[in-house]
Amino acid sequence: MANTPLHQQLSIMRQSFFDEGLLDHEQVSYLETLENEDDPDFIENLFTMFLRDSSRYIDSIEKALEATPVDYPVMERMMYRLKGSSASIGASKINGETNTLRKVFHDGDIESAKVSLQKLKEEHANFKEKLVVYVGMLKEAKLSEY
């Protein structure tokens, strides 16, 4: 990456994700090694897919938890998917909140699960807000290189 103000800003933002514990440095560094000439937009595409899919998973979890009776199979499936996808991109806080939700849900504490889901939704909204800006800046930086 060239050393332009945009690239410097990207670098600072990226580091802030690690400092805040939003992203796991090791996992993101590994994923960045997978980006190459054949797939130069790998990271942006991966983060964009995560944001899309994780939003759907959280919506499904919320609907399943509010159903009467609670839709246990959907809850299990969506929590499992969210846990896996957040771990695969290194979304540390979302993964942690998902694990907390899974624990209280498996303990049978539906009210605590609802509270945990709200925390997860807040963490996801914060992550999404920051990541959307970051992905946009990545795309802008790549366009400016041409």
Side-chain angles (χ1 to χ4, degrees), residues 50 57 61 77-89 91 94-96 98-99 102:
F50 172 77
Y57 299 154
I61 289 168
R77 190 169 51 253
M78 294 300 118
M79 288 187 300
Y80 181 79
R81 288 179 181 172
L82 184 57
K83 179 183 174 358
S85 63
S86 61
S88 71
I89 70 153
I94 292 175
N95 195 29
T98 303
N99 284 331
R102 290 181 76 219

Side-chain angles (χ1 to χ4, degrees), residues 99-113:
N99 284 331
T100 300
L101 174 60
R102 290 181 76 219
K103 183 189 180 322
V104 297
F105 180 72
H106 288 148
D107 290 347
D109 188 347
I110 300 303
E111 290 310 309
S112 291

Side-chain angles (χ1 to χ4, degrees), residues 21-36:
L22 294 174
L23 286 172
D24 177 73
H25 187 270
E26 241 180 79
Q27 185 64 18
V28 172
S29 295
Y30 166 72
L31 293 172
E32 288 171 341
T33 67
L34 301 176
E35 192 166 82
N36 58 43

